[in-house]
């Protein structure tokens, strides 16, 4: 019989390997295994003549199996649910499951050394394991594939026996924070009856959890915390963690208007806040709570982007200095796919932040949906296993256990730079909101909750019984805090207006809110000729000592030839925008699917050395004093990546932050970020953002999913100068509009509809003078016609201009001017008025587009452009953006051109037929 044959298959392999290492070199294994194998060898030699391993030695390995059973499955048998019996799982952790018997309980086993006990009775080993893995904390971690992580966790947990050892002062601090959380909720419930606040009651231990985590994290070097959370418990976190004044919160409950008439506002449990604080030991800490919509988990990637920007620009790239904390609901973390996306981002170079601490406020219900209907997985946190993160399930009624795992989680994050999860099991005292009736759908659960004491009462009783505090101390804490809250409530009743905290501080200092007149003209964005040429040469030169793929070398030779020919294509215009900003010591961050090369193989911002795949970034080799281009191919996600870049731009207005869709058609995978953040954050939360979106757009017969970036949807969102919508037609125009983003002293999102066909189109080029003089033109006039001869003006936007111009030349037409709307929003009324005054004889005005009538810019332009009566020419309205048949596309396109340049004007409105 093999000496290890009675172990499980996985354990046989692991222990056999350790045993062989021990035989070769006893020092090659750690001390506990040395002790165990030493005893095993002694027993083996004594019984060798018997021809088999004795039962005692076999049972040593059975005990190892038992230990691993607790480590692997102990979390299934914990006391972590404060209001429900746990589900039953098999096989159990009974000793018989592992080949042991009741008669073995008093037997001493060497295997006790594996959990720090040394030689110990089986009963002592089991008691230790029960205390460690099956009480108020359940740990999932054995799936982790890095032995050093597993060893670290085992030493931390098994060494402490999961009995948190807090000093008296620490216990009083925990009680005080718990009292603040409980009393604050009770106060709101009695003073603002019926108002929605999305109470934290049933999960109040979140407040001491955050306090403990942040205090301990500060000692470990964290100076910046960025929190993302939904509505439940948000007011409590604002008050008792971020120290937003109680008076300000009460003023919001009173419904006072803000002191900013341009601020539309949002409900109080969506608002963000930030504060600078000192830890209990005097460490400076900045804490910010990110504003968010009701769309659960949508804020997650935004928090990641904010944190990464802080790491890059405030902390010199040191990820241990800033820490994101995401507070989830149990239903949301299991149900929202964005959580999976952000976890897949967590260890990627472009998006990692040194680990996120995830805390699930587990109410065991989602609105009215029971947990059994809310997921197929055992736990709501099972998504954590995707990236092999440890999960700590903890009973929310045991506040010391909650504080213990909070410290453990932040230590793990700081040690390994990985995500970590805390599943805080509690309950929701009321319905989804305070006016909702939960007994409609969970009658039995809410009977139990009605009888259940709050965690403050439980902890105060425990401390009193231990003799740690006097019985009156908890009452005195409550009384003092209630007096304070009443005082602040009276102060709030006197306030006429709610305060809006300015965000134009820190990295936003020097910026201002935009005014309507700012959009009547663009700032100068030209670059000195000598500087432009010098940069152009550097960006088109590859190092001679590196061997690149032949096609790459040819591309760069072609780019160099553009300088000589004075004809710069789209890629050169775009890249020179970045290069000239970098030369001015500005920062550029760029991510999206395949952006390094570019979906259409036009950019080649990162090139590979042929034999080694070493990367070379020409734009990072301009000068010694330049800014940095950080460009990353993203994972195949729109939602999370756009959210991340939005967050980055939110925290770093000095960076040109860009996200590019692989095709513009795919942006709607991130529609929530666009609708709930990008288009309206300035008016809901008073938060500017300068994110740039590049959306490849244009009808070339490539079908319904590779033609339209849905211009109409962005235009429908436009109001109050909230977005900039641009459809540029020349490389120089794209150059200027990108530079304009950082040349203004305010920030607005820039949505660029970028071409595909025009990337290599012979006539879509710009001259040197287009870059070295002037600025972005919101409207481009037609320089090829005489104003006095013009009878018809065709207004258009984007690629179709080139088709129209070619058709005009082909037909010999000389009385039609083609005017390009390069910026569709803010709508350039002033510029158009000046242009129309020039064409005194024009009697016919056409809007031409290649999108269907119910799409594109037509509806928007028709509503906004009142100076003339426009006639529409384009595709008929359609359900699908484009045909999938190349010949049908060509026919439709030609019909548009023929209709416009028909020799005889039709007596009625022409619409191109499909």
């Amino acid at each position: 019989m093999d000496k290890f044959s009675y172990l499980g298959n996985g354990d046989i392999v692991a222990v056999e390997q350790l045993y062989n290492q021990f035989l070769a070199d006893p020092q090659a294994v750690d001390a506990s295994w040395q002790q165990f194998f030493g005893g095993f060898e002694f027993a083996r030699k004594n019984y060798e003549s018997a021809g088999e391993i004795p039962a005692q030695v076999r049972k040593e390995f059975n005990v190892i199996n038992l230990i691993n059973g607790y480590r692997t499955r102990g979390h299934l048998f914990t006391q972590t649910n404060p209001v429900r019996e746990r589900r039953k799982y098999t096989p159990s952790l009974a000793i018989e499951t592992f080949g042991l018997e009741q008669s073995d309980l008093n037997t001493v086993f060497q295997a006790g050394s594996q959990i720090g006990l040394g030689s110990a009775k089986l009963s002592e080993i089991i008691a230790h394991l029960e205390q460690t893995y099956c009480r108020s904390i359940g740990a999932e971690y054995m799936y982790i594939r890095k032995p050093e992580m597993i060893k670290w966790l085992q030493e931390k947990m098994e060494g402490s026996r999961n009995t948190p050892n807090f000093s008296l002062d620490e216990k009083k601090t925990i009680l005080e924070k718990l009292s603040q959380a409980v009393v604050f909720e009770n106060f709101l419930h009695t003073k603002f009856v019926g108002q929605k606040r999305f109470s934290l009651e049933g999960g109040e231990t979140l407040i001491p959890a955050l306090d403990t985590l942040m205090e301990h994290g500060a000692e470990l070097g964290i100076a910046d915390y960025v929190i993302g959370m939904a509505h439940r418990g948000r007011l409590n976190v604002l008050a008792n963690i971020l120290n937003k004044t109680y008076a300000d919160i009460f003023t919001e409950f009173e419904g006072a208007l803000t002191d900013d008439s341009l601020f539309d506002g949002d409900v109080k449990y969506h608002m963000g806040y930030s504060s600078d604080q000192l830890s209990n030991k005097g460490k400076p800490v900045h804490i910010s709570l990110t504003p968010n919509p009701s769309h659960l988990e949508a804020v997650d990637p935004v928090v990641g982007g904010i944190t990464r920007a802080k790491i890059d620009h405030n902390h010199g790239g040191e990820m241990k200095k800033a820490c994101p904390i995401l507070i989830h609901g149990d239903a949301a973390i299991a149900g929202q796919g964005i959580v999976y996306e952000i976890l897949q981002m967590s260890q990627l170079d472009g998006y990692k932040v040194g680990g996120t601490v995830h805390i699930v406020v587990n109410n065991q219900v989602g609105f009215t949906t029971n947990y059994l209907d809310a997921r197929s997985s055992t736990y709501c946190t099972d998504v954590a296993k995707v990236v092999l993160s440890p999960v700590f399930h903890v009973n929310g009624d045991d506040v010391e256990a909650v504080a213990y795992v909070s410290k453990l989680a932040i230590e793990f994050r700081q040690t390994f730079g990985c995500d970590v999860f805390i599943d805080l099991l509690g309950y929701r005292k009321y319905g989804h909101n305070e006016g909702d009736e939960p007994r409609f759908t969970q009658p039995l659960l809410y009977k139990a909750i009605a009888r259940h004491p709050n965690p403050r009462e439980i902890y105060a009783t425990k401390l009193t019984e231990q003799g740690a505090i006097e019985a009156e101390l908890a009452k005195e804490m409550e009384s003092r805090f209630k007096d304070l809250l009443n005082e602040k409530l009276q102060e709030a009743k006197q306030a006429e207006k709610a305060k809006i905290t300015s965000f134009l501080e820190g990295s936003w200092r020097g910026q201002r809110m935009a005014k309507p007149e700012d959009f009547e003209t663009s700032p100068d964005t030209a670059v000195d000729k000598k500087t432009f040429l010098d940069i152009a040469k550097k960006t088109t030169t590859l190092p001679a000592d590196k061997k690149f793929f032949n096609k790459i070398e040819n591309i760069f030779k072609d780019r160099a030839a553009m300088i000589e020919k004075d004809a710069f294509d789209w890629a050169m215009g775009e890249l020179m925008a970045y290069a000239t900003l970098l030369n001015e010591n500005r920062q550029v961050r760029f991510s999206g699917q395949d952006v390094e090369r570019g979906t259409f193989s036009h950019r080649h911002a990162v090139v590979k050395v042929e034999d080694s795949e070493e990367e070379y970034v020409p734009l990072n080799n301009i000068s010694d004093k330049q800014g940095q281009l950080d460009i990353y191919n993203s994972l195949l996600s729109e939602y999370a990546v756009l959210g991340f870049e939005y967050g980055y731009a939110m925290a770093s207005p000095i960076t040109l932050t860009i996200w590019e869709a692989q095709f513009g058609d795919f942006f709607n995978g991130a529609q929530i970020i666009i609708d709930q953040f990008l288009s309206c954050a300035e008016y809901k939360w008073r938060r500017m953002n300068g994110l740039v979106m590049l959306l490849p757009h244009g009808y070339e017969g490539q079908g319904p999913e590779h033609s339209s970036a849905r211009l109409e949807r962005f235009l429908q969102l436009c109001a109050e100068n909230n977005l900039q919508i641009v459809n540029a037609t020349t490389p120089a125009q794209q150059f200027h509009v990108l530079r304009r983003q950082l040349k203004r002293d305010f920030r607005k999102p820039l949505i660029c509809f970028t071409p595909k066909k025009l990337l290599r189109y012979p006539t879509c080029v710009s001259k040197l003078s287009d870059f070295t003089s002037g600025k972005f033109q919101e409207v481009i006039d037609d320089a090829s016609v005489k104003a006095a001869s013009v009878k018809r003006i065709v207004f258009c936007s984007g690629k179709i201009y080139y088709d129209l111009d070619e058709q005009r030349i082909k037909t010999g037409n000389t009385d039609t001017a083609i005017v390009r709307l390069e910026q569709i929003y803010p709508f350039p009324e002033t510029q158009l008025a000046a242009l129309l005054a020039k064409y005194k004889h024009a009697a016919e005005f056409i809007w031409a587009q290649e999108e269907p009538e119910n799409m594109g810019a037509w509806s928007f332009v028709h509503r906004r452009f009142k100076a003339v009566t426009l006639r529409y020419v384009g595709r008929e309205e359609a359900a699908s953006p484009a045909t999938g048949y190349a010949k049908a596309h060509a026919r439709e396109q030609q019909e548009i051109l023929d209709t416009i340049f028909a020799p005889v004007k039709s007596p009625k409105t022409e619409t191109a037929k499909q």
Side-chain angles (χ1 to χ4, degrees), residues 743-777:
K743 292 299 180 179
R744 285 172 163 167
D745 57 355
F746 60 86
R747 295 290 178 265
K748 293 280 182 180
L750 172 63
I751 318 301
C752 292
F753 291 79
T754 56
K756 296 168 285 182
K757 172 182 174 179
L758 301 186
L759 295 177
R760 297 174 179 83
Y761 210 60
T763 55
C764 184
V765 293
S766 296
K767 293 182 177 297
L768 175 64
S769 59
D770 296 329
F771 300 97
T772 57
S773 62
K775 56 192 176 184
F776 178 74
Q777 301 174 69

Side-chain angles (χ1 to χ4, degrees), residues 4 89 164 257 261 267 275 426 447 533 542 609 660 675 716 791 858:
F4 299 127
Y89 297 93
L257 295 174
S261 60
V267 291
S275 62
K447 282 183 180 179
L533 288 173
L542 295 173
V609 175
E660 182 177 57
D675 289 348
Q716 188 182 42
K791 298 177 182 178
W858 163 242

Side-chain angles (χ1 to χ4, degrees), residues 38 201 435 479 628 655 680 759 858 873:
E201 288 172 87
S479 178
Q628 177 78 14
T655 301
C680 54
L759 295 177
W858 163 242
V873 179

Side-chain angles (χ1 to χ4, degrees), residues 821-832:
L821 260 69
E822 300 285 287
Q823 177 175 292
I824 309 172
Y825 193 81
F827 193 70
E829 292 182 46
T830 303
Q831 296 90 325
L832 283 169

